[in-house]
Amino acid sequence: MRFDAAEPVAIVGIAALYPGVQGPEEYWQLLNDEFPVPTTSRATPGLDAIEVDVARFGIPPAQARSMARMQILMLEAARQCLADAGHPERVLPVERTDVITGTCFGLDRQHANALRVEASRHVREVERAALSAGAGSDSARQAAEELRLLLARRLHGSPHDRVGEMASTIPARIATAFKFHGRTLAMESADATSYAGVAQAVLNLRGGLSDAVLLVAGQRRESPLFAKALDAKGLTSTANRPFPADGSGSNSISNSGSGFVLGEGVGALLLKRLSTAVRDGDRIYATILDCSLHHDPRPGPFAASPSVALRHSTAVGSLRAAAVLPETVQYVECVGSGVAPEVRAELAALAALHEGAAAGSVAVGSVKDRLGHTFANAGVAALSKVALALHHRRLPPGQEPADAAEFARSGTPLRYVGAGRPWPPGEEGHPRRATVHGTSLTGTLCHLVLEEHDGTGGHDGTGGHDGTGGHDGTDLHGSTDRYDSTDRHSRPSDTEALRPPRPPASPYAVGNTASGTEPIAVVALAGWFADSADAESFWQAIRSGVSRIGPVPETVLDRELYYAPGALSLTHSYTDQGGHTALPTAPPPGLRISPSRHASMDGAQRLALAVAAQLLAGRGTTAPGGRGLIAVGSNLGLSRERRLNAESSLQDLEDTVARLDALGGLSPLRRKSLLTSLREHLGPPDEGVRADLLDGCLASGIAALLANEYGLDAVPLAVEAACASSLAAIDVAVGALRAGTADFAIAGGVELACNARDMVLCSALGLLSHSRNAPFDAGADGFTPGDGCGLFLLKRHGDALRDGDEVLGLVRGVGASNDAKSLIAPDVAGQTRAMERAFAQVDFAPSAVDYLEAHGTGTKVGDRVEIAAVAEVYGGAPRARPLTIGSAKSFYGHTFAAAGSAGLLRTLLAMRARTLPPNTNLRTLNPALDLAAVPAVVPTEPSVWVRQPGKPRRAAVSSFGTGGINYHILVEEHEEHMDGAR
């Protein structure tokens, strides 16, 4: 089946959870409160006041206690959005429904877990400080125990904490609750997060990867640290003024007191292709004609783009892609950040775009006047507002700045909305249209084009309107199933001008007529795992057959505090083994990054920056050209942010320590001495927050650093899909390249899993090996954590040939699924789905694949289920020779979000060397693995990779993540590397 790459996307469901608001109806009421809003009407507590019955989602009480509050709220938002669309009465295509969630900064459960682990160190310091202050040994020990119990009650640890804290558990939990088997993905792109989520949803729908996408985005005040970090950048204010002014006209926006109030909220959108929504008889709020993202790469500390020209060109490009004339746009939902330079740039770009239009003909507003800046949720909040306004045919009131009158008299085509009013029909028969703007503090610009849908026959029987601005119940375009508007048909040249030229036909697309099956070329690769600081040493270690796993340094795992071999514990790790990486101590040569800024980065940011230098080094000084995407799989809650939050929380415990009963016998002088001793360890309280603190705490900051410091016009994105994060990032990149929204992509993953927090949390659930990773071995008892980063530079195959790039391998297919069954236990059916979906994109059968880089975690159940799934798919036809199976985890441990990049790196290097890689730590093959059903072998020595006659060498890479997230990638060597003699 072929899909239209320009088909509008329908918004068929909305959810809204904001302070004092539950549901789209209450949200619409809030939006229609005239200014000034009475102070008593919305004086409500925050999101914590919203009660959610988690039992209705089938969550066991033991797991519920470990869930982040955001996970609970997003579950409720998902339920509300689906109900708004008519679910469960109206059945969704569960096999092809994706769930995408967006959050930014750490979650409360992540903070609690980090604090619980770090508290052990604090308790020890309290005991030492008490001794030095003159308390007896018994009193000091009792004080430490008293504090430990107090913190344990406050932080309520559980074996399920590691799963409950993960951002990717949220979409997985939603998929499980509603039995969705499509892609499940958590994303972050600073305050452009939900815009990036919409872009991904549109891409998946238009590319035919899914039939429905549930997007949920949320922001809570999880920690005071977030607000302090924003304030340190000079971005926050005490009042919601989206368009600050000093009363002297539209060009004199005041810098004084500019900024935004940090808001909170959770919202959701259910999206479908318009043709699907019309076929299904859905009530359609509005349609999305285009969603364009561009990036302004500027070195140095993160900041929103000040460029008027880039804003203008982004809007022009987006409107052309939608084949919409600027003069038919009646309303613009602005960023309205309240930050004076940004507001000036936004309004100047808008005025230039609509130059020549009648004065005051384009209304502007911003939902931030109601909600403040809801950051990760900002895009969903804005789109929901505009979709509801188009649906009700009414422009809700907006807050006017002090210079509104001067602004109107200036003759600009823009006007502030002011009082609410009916939304008049478009001129000359055009439908009502609006654009929505978004930005991020990392430099991304977002532009969406929305249009009313005037079809009839929604599921609620109302036709989708409230009867207000002459509706007669007929379709403006003459039917209920036509989605091409008149002017969209009349301007094909403008539309085509924006689309990149299609690459030459690929010889590998034989038998596949859809352009979406075009191979994606890997034109550069780089990696750093354990003590292998580049791809070459990584491959040499693989060939040697010697594991790089060993005791982690004492600086990483304080054995006195955290190591206790033996029984499971909530406070200790029963292993001290790992594939540890020593991090770079200086930025890569050629980058103008100060030592202090480099030191303030999260370790994952520093490692990825170094690997990116290797990735681009082979290309000389020439950066990839055209529009790009940088998608990095990572944990969305970076260690630096968690550590800083824990340190801040511990500083607040001074009064608690001073009041401990066991220290009641100390004199006031000795108590003061005790607290002084503690401060020497913790640092002085409230010593100030640095302006660069936020930069080092953003997961998408990893990708943003690569874009900004290397000057790449590439939208930065952080992706979390648990242990499948790297392949999820590859999937996002492949989709963007095939859709033509990117001309190049950098994708991969990074995580530093060797840390006390993760080792303690994984031990509590019994996931770690008591010795070392030994995939497929009879004695395998879990995985060993590892540190690492792998990155790949990708292009469309035709573009790589045109540019003369060396092609290191071709990505032929990417399959993804969710088990929708269990968050922890692996599932044969779910893994089989992902494999089958990958093969649906290619013109060869599983029997043509020579090598499988397995997920291979080394857990007995995991290994057995994986081989059973492989047998289900790969064992269906006779094979010329057994399938070779291996796992990089036996060498480098389980690198979590970076695991898939380690597997893909190993596979491509093996393909280049024409060598089937060995496994290590394999002494006795697990007899429970039915390898004969494939048939397959797990070698312990390297061997020559003999290709099948007349065919390229082909391989597959699997990654399966907590939450039932499954990815399977098919790769093959490029024809230039095929050698008949071999």
Side-chain angles (χ1 to χ4, degrees), residues 55 71 108 133 190 266 298 310 336 423 442 458 463 484 513 529 542 566 599 619 679 713 761 825 848 866 870 930 972:
Q71 185 177 153
D108 59 353
V266 179
R298 296 184 302 133
L310 187 57
W423 190 330
T442 55
D484 287 316
T513 57
F529 292 85
I542 295 290
R619 306 183 62 80
R679 288 185 196 126
D713 177 12
L761 294 178
E866 181 169 13
V870 170
D930 190 6
E972 71 182 20

Side-chain angles (χ1 to χ4, degrees), residues 820-833:
K821 187 175 181 181
S822 168
L823 291 185
I824 301 175
D827 177 57
V828 172
Q831 295 179 14
T832 298
R833 276 190 195 90

Side-chain angles (χ1 to χ4, degrees), residues 862-902:
D863 288 355
R864 179 172 51 79
V865 168
E866 181 169 13
I867 296 302
V870 170
E872 188 81 16
V873 176
Y874 285 80
R879 301 185 59 85
R881 54 179 176 267
L883 176 70
T884 300
I885 296 179
S887 172
K889 294 179 182 65
S890 62
F891 287 87
Y892 292 100
H894 192 347
T895 52
F896 294 4
S901 64

Side-chain angles (χ1 to χ4, degrees), residues 15-333:
L17 299 176
Y18 299 96
V21 169
Q22 291 197 54
E25 295 83 8
E26 292 187 14
Y27 187 46
W28 181 241
Q29 291 171 14
L30 170 66
L31 293 172
N32 279 279
D33 279 346
E34 294 286 350
F35 283 94
V37 179
T39 57
T40 57
S41 65
R42 298 291 174 186
T44 58
L47 294 180
D48 288 343
I50 297 175
E51 296 183 1
V52 180
D53 179 13
V54 296
R56 75 189 305 170
F57 300 107
I59 300 170
Q63 293 184 21
R65 288 191 293 271
S66 297
M67 292 169 60
R69 173 66 177 169
M70 181 60 76
Q71 185 177 153
I72 295 172
L73 291 170
M74 286 192 162
L75 270 170
E76 177 60 19
R79 184 201 64 78
Q80 183 187 100
C81 184
L82 294 172
D84 183 59
H87 183 81
E89 288 77 13
R90 300 176 68 80
V91 179
L92 281 171
V94 294
E95 286 296 318
R96 289 169 53 82
T97 295
D98 297 346
V99 182
I100 299 175
T101 62
T103 61
C104 188
F105 235 55
L107 304 175
D108 59 353
R109 194 65 239 171
Q110 294 174 343
H111 294 153
N113 293 340
L115 178 57
R116 180 164 58 81
V117 174
E118 186 61 26
S120 294
R121 189 183 307 278
H122 188 66
V123 167
R124 182 176 65 182
E125 293 304 317
V126 167
E127 183 173 2
R128 290 176 176 175
L131 285 171
S132 66
S137 58
D138 288 344
S139 295
R141 188 167 52 252
Q142 289 170 9
E145 185 62 22
E146 185 181 346
L147 181 60
R148 181 181 289 109
L149 292 174
L150 185 152
L151 291 173
R153 286 194 297 270
R154 181 185 300 180
L155 302 172
H156 56 272
S158 160
H160 295 280
D161 284 344
R162 182 66 176 94
V163 176
E165 73 167 17
M166 296 166 61
S168 57
T169 299
I170 301 175
R173 179 78 75 179
I174 293 171
T176 300
F178 299 101
K179 305 304 177 187
F180 297 148
H181 292 291
R183 285 165 166 77
T184 49
L185 190 66
M187 306 173 73
E188 188 257 283
S189 189
D191 34 344
T193 294
S194 50
Y195 294 100
V198 171
Q200 186 62 38
V202 169
L203 185 149
N204 286 2
L205 290 166
R206 287 177 168 172
L209 298 177
S210 57
D211 291 328
V213 180
L214 178 62
L215 171 65
V216 192
Q219 191 73 54
R220 286 180 73 236
R221 297 187 184 95
E222 307 276 358
S223 159
L225 190 66
F226 189 17
K228 291 178 181 177
L230 289 169
D231 189 53
K233 273 192 172 288
L235 298 175
T236 55
S237 178
T238 57
N240 285 332
R241 289 192 295 268
F243 306 101
D246 62 5
S248 60
S250 61
N251 293 319
S252 301
I253 293 173
S254 173
N255 284 319
S256 61
S258 73
F260 54 78
V261 173
L262 181 62
E264 58 179 4
V266 179
L269 301 171
L270 182 61
L271 307 175
K272 291 183 177 181
R273 288 182 295 275
L274 180 55
S275 57
T276 304
V278 170
R279 180 201 66 193
D280 295 345
D282 291 319
R283 180 266 321 280
I284 299 172
Y285 283 108
T287 59
I288 300 171
L289 306 185
D290 182 69
C291 180
S292 294
L293 275 63
H294 281 266
H295 190 72
D296 185 2
R298 296 184 302 133
F302 296 155
S305 170
S307 173
V308 174
L310 187 57
R311 279 175 166 77
H312 181 264
S313 64
T314 299
V316 169
S318 180
L319 289 167
R320 283 183 178 169
V324 164
L325 299 170
E327 55 266 31
T328 67
V329 175
Q330 299 162 291
Y331 174 73
V332 179
E333 175 68 16

Side-chain angles (χ1 to χ4, degrees), residues 206-574:
R206 287 177 168 172
L209 298 177
S210 57
D211 291 328
V213 180
L214 178 62
L215 171 65
V216 192
Q219 191 73 54
R220 286 180 73 236
R221 297 187 184 95
E222 307 276 358
S223 159
L225 190 66
F226 189 17
K228 291 178 181 177
L230 289 169
D231 189 53
K233 273 192 172 288
L235 298 175
T236 55
S237 178
T238 57
N240 285 332
R241 289 192 295 268
F243 306 101
D246 62 5
S248 60
S250 61
N251 293 319
S252 301
I253 293 173
S254 173
N255 284 319
S256 61
S258 73
F260 54 78
V261 173
L262 181 62
E264 58 179 4
V266 179
L269 301 171
L270 182 61
L271 307 175
K272 291 183 177 181
R273 288 182 295 275
L274 180 55
S275 57
T276 304
V278 170
R279 180 201 66 193
D280 295 345
D282 291 319
R283 180 266 321 280
I284 299 172
Y285 283 108
T287 59
I288 300 171
L289 306 185
D290 182 69
C291 180
S292 294
L293 275 63
H294 281 266
H295 190 72
D296 185 2
R298 296 184 302 133
F302 296 155
S305 170
S307 173
V308 174
L310 187 57
R311 279 175 166 77
H312 181 264
S313 64
T314 299
V316 169
S318 180
L319 289 167
R320 283 183 178 169
V324 164
L325 299 170
E327 55 266 31
T328 67
V329 175
Q330 299 162 291
Y331 174 73
V332 179
E333 175 68 16
C334 293
V335 174
S337 66
V339 179
E342 188 175 353
V343 175
R344 273 195 292 266
E346 182 174 27
L347 293 180
L350 267 176
L353 179 69
H354 295 281
E355 185 178 13
S361 60
V362 181
V364 298
S366 172
V367 74
K368 290 181 179 65
D369 62 14
R370 307 284 172 162
L371 303 176
H373 191 355
T374 56
F375 226 75
N377 168 262
V380 165
L383 260 70
S384 298
K385 171 188 172 180
V386 175
L388 287 168
L390 286 166
H391 174 65
H392 291 290
R393 296 181 169 181
R394 180 174 180 81
L395 287 173
Q399 184 186 52
E400 292 187 307
D403 70 342
E406 290 290 334
F407 189 80
R409 286 195 290 271
S410 68
T412 173
L414 311 179
R415 64 176 170 83
Y416 298 114
V417 173
R421 64 195 68 189
W423 190 330
E427 296 181 358
E428 299 180 2
H430 292 296
R432 295 169 177 84
R433 288 180 179 145
T435 59
V436 179
H437 294 182
T439 60
S440 83
L441 57 80
T442 55
T444 299
L445 297 172
C446 318
H447 192 276
L448 292 89
V449 183
L450 271 68
E451 180 177 280
E452 71 174 331
H453 177 72
D454 201 26
T456 58
H459 73 262
D460 56 2
T462 65
H465 294 286
D466 64 358
T468 304
H471 173 52
D472 60 2
T474 61
D475 191 336
L476 286 175
H477 309 313
S479 72
T480 60
D481 60 356
R482 180 179 174 191
Y483 59 79
D484 287 316
S485 70
T486 303
D487 58 329
R488 225 187 277 83
H489 266 312
S490 67
R491 306 183 71 229
S493 59
D494 284 339
T495 304
E496 290 301 319
L498 278 171
R499 294 177 180 165
R502 295 304 303 171
S506 166
Y508 297 94
V510 177
N512 292 285
T513 57
S515 62
T517 58
E518 180 179 4
I520 300 301
V522 181
V523 299
L525 53 77
W528 182 328
F529 292 85
D531 60 355
S532 301
D534 54 43
E536 294 305 319
S537 57
F538 176 93
W539 177 242
Q540 290 306 314
I542 295 290
R543 283 193 60 93
S544 74
V546 179
S547 173
R548 317 313 292 177
I549 297 171
V552 300
E554 190 73 18
T555 53
V556 172
L557 184 72
D558 186 327
R559 286 165 174 76
E560 179 186 357
L561 280 179
Y562 301 118
Y563 178 49
L568 302 184
S569 164
L570 295 180
T571 57
H572 292 75
S573 170
Y574 52 72

